[in-house]
């Protein structure tokens, strides 16, 4: 038998970096579940911050909210870093690394805003700085969310193509 043909057949049997569809279903669904849950949590945290801005919360209240958001961003960044180490889809890994970098930068800037809030001007100036931070982060969040959807569909299609039920990661785009 031709060695190229054997290699090609083996590669075609492999499913998304997994040798066994059952392993893929178990591992990928668990991993995607964690990643999409963390994405949804992050979206909710940022939505809460945006709502506080739109509701014209006072500077002191915003500083408290920023401190809590910073803790949440740190936690979610650590979750993504830990989970993505054991993942096989290159496109999602690249987007995850990009969002981790963006979130770390965002967190540092949030910390500066909260630690030096007195030097950041009045309420309106402070709110404008906070809005700018959020607006800078939104494109990265959207790209990461889109890649999560693409990867989720990719795994779903692979499993469906093998007569298996989809794993449904619980992804709900915000």
């Amino acid at each position: 038998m031709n060695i190229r043909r054997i290699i090609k057949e083996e590669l075609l049997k492999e499913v998304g970096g997994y040798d066994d569809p059952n392993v893929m279903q178990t591992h990928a669904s668990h991993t995607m579940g964690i990643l999409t849950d963390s994405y949804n949590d992050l979206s909710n945290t940022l939505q809460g911050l945006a709502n506080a801005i739109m509701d014209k919360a006072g500077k002191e209240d915003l500083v408290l909210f920023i401190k809590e958001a910073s803790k949440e961003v740190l936690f979610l960044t650590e979750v993504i870093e830990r989970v993505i180490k054991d993942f096989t889809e290159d496109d999602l890994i690249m987007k995850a690394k990009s969002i981790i970098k963006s979130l770390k930068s965002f967190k540092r800037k949030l910390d500066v805003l909260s630690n030096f809030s007195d030097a950041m001007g009045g309420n309106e100036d402070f709110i404008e700085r906070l809005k700018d931070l959020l607006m800078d982060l939104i494109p990265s969040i959207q790209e990461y969310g889109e890649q999560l959807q693409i990867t989720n569909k990719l795994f779903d299609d692979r499993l469906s193509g093998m007569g298996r039920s989809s794993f449904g990661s619980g992804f709900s785009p915000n």
Side-chain angles (χ1 to χ4, degrees), residues 48-115:
L49 187 54
N51 287 342
I53 292 169
M54 299 309 288
D55 292 343
K56 303 214 183 275
K59 188 175 181 179
E60 289 178 16
D61 291 334
L62 286 173
V63 168
L64 292 174
F65 201 101
I66 288 170
K67 287 180 180 181
E68 289 303 311
S70 177
K71 290 177 193 174
E72 184 73 10
V73 167
L74 174 63
F75 173 74
L76 294 171
T77 301
E78 290 171 349
V79 167
I80 295 168
E81 284 177 320
R82 194 170 42 250
V83 171
I84 209 67
K85 286 179 183 176
D86 193 30
F87 208 64
T88 60
E89 288 299 320
D90 290 339
D91 291 339
L92 183 59
I93 291 169
M94 287 177 21
K95 289 294 182 191
K97 287 179 179 179
S98 176
I99 196 64
I100 288 167
K101 182 179 175 184
S102 295
L103 288 173
K104 285 181 176 181
S105 174
F106 180 72
K107 184 199 176 309
R108 282 190 302 272
K109 292 173 183 175
L110 283 180
D111 292 344
V112 168
L113 266 181
S114 66
N115 292 331

Side-chain angles (χ1 to χ4, degrees), residues 128-147:
E128 284 306 312
R129 290 175 191 259
L130 191 51
K131 281 182 187 177
D132 289 343
L133 282 181
L134 283 171
M135 294 305 291
D136 288 344
L137 183 63
I138 288 172
S140 298
I141 296 290
Q142 288 175 331
E143 288 175 13
Y144 178 60
E146 289 168 2
Q147 189 59 51

